[in-house]
Amino acid sequence: MSTNHLKILGISGSLRKDSFNRMILREMARHTPEGADVSIFNLKHVPLFNADLEENGDPEAVEDFKESILEADGFLIVTPEYSHGMPGVLKNALDWAASVTNRNVLDKKPAYVLGASPAPLGTALSQAQVKQTLAAAGAFVLQQPELYIGKVPSKIDEAGRLQDDSTKTRLHQAMEAFVEWIETMKGNN
């Protein structure tokens, strides 16, 4: 691992206060290897995408979101799955971030996608859609390890802390792989 301090921006694709995915994102931040930090951006103020709003520059909440992505070395997305797909709030945020009208901040940005769900299969279908959108925007998406956290309510305690040791190990391994990915991609730019 390099000696440069890495900044990772994390978002949850859910706006719910007690979102399982926000809990997992916080857990990922706790599993960040030394030399890297995760900051979390809440998407609740990002307006619905509307190209008319871009004419005079991005709205303030969108500009804040884009600046946070630009300042980060990597982009971490933890997504739920709604009706076998990506949540609208997440698609909306990615549409703003990838819009070329003012600037596409996802181009050449290392990214990693994972997710948690009460369903046994986790968020496989949602993650595929998120990865497709990121790839279309030019992001460098880490494909492995795939991390689908199913039956998540049984893995989290009443305080919102992950209790499942196997999942904790997988989260730690995923963060190590993502940090390595970021460093590799930075070396290729």
Side-chain angles (χ1 to χ4, degrees):
M1 205 173 302
S2 82
T3 57
N4 293 333
H5 190 81
L6 298 177
K7 294 189 234 178
I8 299 170
L9 179 69
I11 62 170
S12 167
S14 173
L15 296 179
R16 197 169 64 92
K17 179 178 58 115
D18 295 324
S19 160
F20 295 125
N21 286 277
R22 187 169 291 119
M23 292 174 194
I24 294 297
L25 179 57
R26 287 192 298 263
E27 192 70 30
M28 292 293 285
R30 286 190 283 276
H31 284 88
T32 304
E34 190 173 325
D37 287 312
V38 174
S39 62
I40 298 172
F41 190 93
N42 192 323
L43 298 175
K44 69 182 178 182
H45 297 296
V46 175
L48 291 175
F49 182 80
N50 180 341
D52 291 341
L53 295 178
E54 294 180 298
E55 288 180 7
N56 296 315
D58 291 321
E60 184 177 350
V62 172
E63 186 59 33
D64 291 345
F65 178 49
K66 285 182 160 186
E67 283 298 321
S68 295
I69 295 171
L70 281 173
E71 291 171 3
D73 298 299
F75 190 36
L76 175 66
I77 299 171
V78 186
T79 183
E81 184 167 295
Y82 297 162
S83 303
H84 290 195
M86 148 177 22
V89 68
L90 181 54
K91 178 65 166 102
N92 181 66
L94 295 177
D95 285 343
W96 276 114
S99 176
V100 296
T101 298
N102 292 318
R103 65 184 161 173
N104 172 3
V105 297
L106 297 176
D107 189 43
K108 297 182 178 55
K109 182 67 64 176
Y112 183 61
V113 182
L114 69 143
S117 171
L121 295 178
T123 60
L125 299 172
S126 175
Q127 287 186 45
Q129 290 179 349
V130 174
K131 289 176 182 180
Q132 179 182 20
T133 298
L134 288 169
F140 297 143
V141 182
L142 176 63
Q143 298 298 320
Q144 297 289 333
E146 293 180 314
L147 190 48
Y148 310 113
I149 304 168
K151 300 181 182 180
V152 71
S154 67
K155 298 174 181 178
I156 294 178
D157 67 15
E158 300 80 30
R161 299 281 307 227
L162 185 63
Q163 298 302 308
D164 183 68
D165 289 335
S166 173
T167 304
K168 284 182 181 182
T169 298
R170 290 171 46 222
L171 288 175
H172 181 73
Q173 291 168 341
M175 281 304 292
E176 285 184 339
F178 186 43
V179 166
E180 285 181 33
W181 179 250
I182 293 168
E183 290 175 335
T184 299
M185 293 300 98
K186 284 179 71 164
N188 289 335
N189 284 333

